[in-house]
Amino acid sequence: MKVLLVGSGGREHALAWKIRQSPLLTRLVVAPGNPGVAALAETADVKVTDVAGLTALAREMAADLVVIGPEAALEAGLADALAALGVACFGPTRAAARLETSKGFTKAFARRHDVPTADYGEFSDAATAKGALDRFTPPYVIKADGIAAGKGVVIAETRAAAEQAIDDMLGGQFGAAGARLVIEAFMTGEEASVFALCDGKTARLFGAAQDHKRVGDGDTGPNTGGMGAYSPAPVMTDERLAFVERRMIDATVAGMGAEGAPYCGVLYAGVMVTPEGPKLVEYNARFGDPECQVLMLRLASDLLPYLLACAEGRLADMPPLEWRDETALCVVVAAPGYPEAPATGSRIRGADADFGPAVTVFHAGTRRDATGDLQAAGGRVLNVCARDPDVAEARRLAYAAVDAIDWPEGFCRRDIAWRALTR
Ligand code: GLY
């Protein structure tokens, strides 16, 4: 099978690493990829939002399947363009990806299909939005409708701060993404990420993970794209997973089909385990990053036939997925200044050393300089991952590898998986 994988982060390095192991694979091209990906696949210098360039590449290589990693490619309409050409694609159309690209769409959809979630209101006018704060109690949750580089959610402790956030968002802080906003009731509990493969008609649970969104140990400091993850997540018991599958995943796939936007790809439910049970925080239309990395390490089955089955609407015919009975854990090593202003260009040595069979290092934001040396090229730079039947040992292995990599400028959280270890 000839596969085109779209994306350049740690998520796509992990997908390429897993797809590369498939006996069905004959050629793997990753666009644009990164130096880690380049060690195991061909790379093509085409941007993830260059729909014309990516469709031309898919045709040129006669791709049997295109796998889309990031939401930017979904929002740009890559899946739609590939469908028009008859190229099989793992990833939702722009209409189906509204589950991620529009918070207002998702909240209204959840209400229509009885998906458990927090009470909300949607607004495009500041005075009406401020008046509606009467219906909510602090802390106020204010979300820009569209994608705002992960910065579109404000948890405001006071009414004044909530009103300021409303003014900022509707005043153009996030451009078109903030032309509408959602105010939501604050949910308490523990958050987890639940994944499902979907083929437009049916869904198959694809594991759960827990992310670490704050930059600092003990969940302190500003939000990030995720400083680490581990899977499985003990908070997601079989009973809670079954509830999420029935009331969120299955209800959503059925609802999207009924509304004329069948959902194909991976559906990522951000779930809050509240005292009243699991509730939907948000959907994403892609694998989580770094959650994907730990899922790929745990997955024992060949991934490729499942991705193709999703693209071809045959998921119901596939055998059950098999998983290693281990915890996989990922430590994100970031550039100084992340998330506000990451400093790029510092030199990294030893990231590609052999750390043993239980440790895998994925590249997230790296580049090579003219002499071939590895440099930091983004905020989240390396994903140092390990797996072991014992979560404490997986963590020990991952941090031993972090400490062996020679990159004095990089930093990481030192408490990944603390919830699993203190349960
Ligand atoms: N790790 C969170 C996300 O991928 O959105």
Side-chain angles (χ1 to χ4, degrees):
M1 257 178 83
K2 295 183 286 299
V3 177
L4 172 60
L5 169 64
V6 177
S8 65
R11 170 181 50 208
E12 288 77 24
H13 188 177
L15 286 168
W17 174 85
K18 186 66 185 168
I19 290 170
R20 188 76 186 75
Q21 294 168 33
S22 173
L24 302 176
L25 186 77
T26 54
R27 187 177 179 199
L28 175 60
V29 179
V30 186
N34 65 36
V37 170
L40 51 83
E42 295 170 57
T43 57
D45 191 15
V46 187
K47 286 196 174 64
V48 303
T49 50
D50 180 358
V51 172
L54 291 167
T55 50
L57 178 57
R59 289 178 85 163
E60 197 181 292
M61 64 178 280
D64 300 299
L65 179 68
V66 177
V67 179
I68 303 178
E71 64 277 16
L74 303 171
E75 198 172 30
L78 180 57
D80 307 70
L82 291 165
L85 294 173
V87 178
C89 170
F90 179 83
T93 60
R94 191 190 267 145
R98 279 178 300 168
L99 286 173
E100 172 160 2
T101 59
S102 171
K103 301 262 184 312
F105 171 82
T106 301
K107 294 297 287 189
F109 178 92
R111 192 173 269 175
R112 286 197 294 282
H113 296 279
D114 199 24
V115 173
T117 188
D119 186 24
Y120 84 106
E122 186 180 358
F123 308 93
S124 56
D125 166 73
T128 316
K130 288 177 192 173
L133 291 173
D134 291 342
R135 281 172 40 207
F136 298 89
T137 50
Y140 301 97
V141 182
I142 323 278
K143 297 181 172 178
D145 178 61
I147 291 183
K151 299 192 175 116
V153 178
V154 173
I155 313 283
E157 298 292 337
T158 63
R159 184 144 185 154
E163 294 190 353
Q164 185 64 54
I166 289 168
D167 281 335
D168 290 345
M169 282 186 199
L170 294 178
Q173 181 187 21
F174 302 122
R180 301 183 68 78
L181 59 78
V182 162
I183 303 177
E184 201 179 60
F186 183 76
M187 288 187 273
T188 53
E190 193 173 326
E191 214 172 330
S193 311
V194 179
F195 298 87
L197 301 182
C198 309
D199 72 355
K201 304 179 295 261
T202 58
R204 187 74 66 87
L205 275 188
F206 197 75
Q210 214 159 21
D211 188 9
H212 298 62
K213 293 219 167 73
R214 303 294 193 103
V215 75
D217 283 12
D219 293 330
T220 54
N223 263 327
T224 69
M227 292 298 290
Y230 63 101
S231 173
V235 68
M236 275 318 221
T237 58
D238 288 349
E239 190 190 349
R240 287 174 180 150
L241 270 176
F243 180 88
V244 169
E245 181 175 34
R246 187 169 52 85
R247 293 290 307 278
M248 296 182 197
I249 305 289
D250 288 348
T252 297
V253 171
M256 291 298 281
E259 295 190 7
Y263 191 92
C264 166
V266 63
L267 184 60
Y268 157 5
V271 174
M272 186 71 81
V273 180
T274 74
E276 302 93 55
K279 293 188 183 179
L280 180 71
V281 178
E282 63 177 14
Y283 275 133
N284 291 301
R286 53 176 172 82
F287 279 111
D289 187 347
E291 292 98 319
C292 181
Q293 289 80 317
V294 290
L295 293 174
M296 292 304 119
L297 286 171
R298 278 191 57 225
L299 181 65
S301 303
D302 182 359
L303 177 66
L304 199 45
Y306 287 88
L307 300 182
L308 187 64
C310 288
E312 295 180 343
R314 296 184 287 101
L315 190 57
D317 302 334
M318 295 297 288
L321 288 150
E322 286 173 24
W323 299 92
R324 292 179 210 283
D325 200 8
E326 293 179 315
T327 290
L329 182 146
C330 172
V331 178
V332 171
V333 192
Y338 178 74
E340 287 93 352
T344 59
S346 50
R347 186 164 168 193
I348 303 163
R349 293 181 182 86
D352 298 320
D354 182 358
F355 297 104
V359 174
T360 310
V361 178
F362 296 117
H363 290 223
T366 64
R367 66 176 174 235
R368 292 207 183 275
D369 68 13
T371 65
D373 287 338
L374 201 64
Q375 291 185 346
R380 294 188 294 170
V381 175
L382 295 173
N383 301 154
V384 181
C385 306
R387 59 183 169 80
D388 192 86
D390 175 37
V391 58
E393 178 60 8
R395 176 152 112 163
R396 191 193 67 75
L397 287 165
Y399 282 118
V402 167
D403 292 336
I405 294 171
D406 180 8
W407 181 31
E409 293 85 353
F411 77 95
C412 65
R413 275 182 64 160
R414 288 275 162 184
D415 63 349
I416 301 304
W418 67 268
R419 285 183 190 276
L421 284 163
T422 53
R423 269 198 134 70

